[in-house]
């Protein structure tokens, strides 16, 4: 079987002008961010991915956070219409790169959507309604995904930027969650692993094959995931965290 492809995108120096919603602006060390990003890419390669890095879009401050521009399924991909106006042009290059691999469907106005709000676990798709994603987008995704066998549920997001700041999938049946930011009752039927209360930003984990790419800044939650039997690969992710980015945000994985 062909190896999974991980699409990533180079960090632009304009990252210092990134969008911020819940964090105060802190200086971002571009060199450090790039080193950490390279280590992230190396980890994806170690896990068997063929990493394809798209060039930076110099004037698009947040373009490294490629996850927000598309949602990739085995059957198709959905190109988003990002909620932040400053991010709308990021999708063009990503759509061009994805077109070789998937049939593309676009989110269109008045819908807005960020990929960070879309959690996929098996045939279940949870879409966070947030400042970046609205109910029109949920309806548009449902129209595309239900015919190919997915169930799409809407989830309210409060207290954090995206749904996947609050909950991500460790496998098809197990979710990592910060119950303070999302209502756990939505996920009935799933096994839930709680983040450590001292690490509120730790609910964002990236699943690659059978392994979990996870920020080294959250060792307690990392240990909790490990103790559930998962192979955890710790990567430093602190610099882009200042831009409100986490590990899922920096790649699109095509199986
Ligand atoms: C933004 O506010 O759009 C960026 N500064 C951070 C985006 C992070 N993306 C993600 O969580 N999927």
């Amino acid at each position: 079987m062909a190896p999974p492809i991980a699409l990533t995108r180079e960090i632009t120096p304009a990252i210092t002008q990134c969008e911020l919603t819940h964090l105060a602006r802190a200086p971002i060390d571009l060199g450090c961010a790039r080193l950490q990003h390279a280590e992230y890419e190396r980890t994806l390669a170690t896990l068997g991915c063929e990493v394809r890095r798209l060039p930076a879009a110099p004037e698009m401050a947040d373009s490294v956070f490629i996850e927000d521009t598309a949602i990739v399924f085995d059957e198709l991909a959905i190109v988003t219409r990002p909620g932040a106006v400053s991010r709308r042009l990021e999708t063009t290059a990503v759509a061009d790169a994805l077109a070789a691999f998937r049939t593309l469907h676009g989110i269109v106005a008045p819908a807005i959507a960020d990929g960070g709000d879309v959690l996929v676990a098996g045939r279940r798709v949870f879409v966070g309604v947030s400042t970046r994603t609205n109910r029109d987008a949920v309806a548009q995704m449902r129209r595309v995904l239900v015919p190919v066998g997915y169930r799409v549920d809407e989830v309210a997001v409060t207290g954090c930027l995206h749904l996947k700041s609050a909950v991500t999938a460790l496998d098809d049946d197990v979710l990592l969650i910060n119950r303070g930011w999302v209502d756990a009752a939505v996920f009935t039927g799933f096994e839930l692993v709680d983040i450590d209360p001292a690490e509120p930003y730790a609910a964002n984990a990236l699943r690659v094959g059978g392994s979990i790419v996870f920020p080294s800044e959250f060792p307690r939650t990392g240990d909790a995931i490990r103790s559930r039997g998962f192979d955890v690969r710790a990567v430093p992710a602190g610099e882009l965290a200042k831009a409100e980015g986490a590990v899922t945000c920096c790649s699109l994985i095509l199986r």
Side-chain angles (χ1 to χ4, degrees), residues 15 18-21 61-62 65-68 84 86-87 90 114-117 132 161-162 164-165 204 240 242-246 248-250:
I15 184 83
C18 67
E19 294 281 342
L20 288 174
T21 307
D62 282 300
F65 302 121
I66 192 168
E67 168 183 63
D68 292 319
S86 69
R87 302 197 58 190
E90 290 177 28
D114 278 8
D117 274 318
R132 300 293 181 84
L161 181 58
H162 287 128
K164 280 190 282 189
S165 319
N204 187 274
L240 286 179
K242 296 176 186 170
E244 292 188 39
T248 63
C249 320
C250 292

Side-chain angles (χ1 to χ4, degrees), residues 12-62:
T12 168
I15 184 83
T16 53
Q17 305 307 313
C18 67
E19 294 281 342
L20 288 174
T21 307
H22 294 280
L23 294 183
R25 198 167 293 282
I28 294 175
D29 179 331
L30 182 63
C32 174
R34 284 184 164 160
L35 283 174
Q36 293 188 348
H37 192 241
E39 187 162 342
Y40 171 85
E41 290 174 325
R42 271 197 303 279
T43 302
L44 296 181
T46 304
L47 293 174
C49 294
E50 179 189 326
V51 177
R52 295 198 190 175
R53 184 195 285 187
L54 303 186
E59 67 295 354
M60 298 180 206
D62 282 300

Side-chain angles (χ1 to χ4, degrees), residues 73-94:
F73 297 85
D74 291 345
E75 301 84 354
L76 53 88
I78 296 175
V79 177
T80 66
R81 180 169 181 265
V85 175
S86 69
R87 302 197 58 190
R88 295 263 159 90
L89 296 178
E90 290 177 28
T91 56
T92 311
V94 180

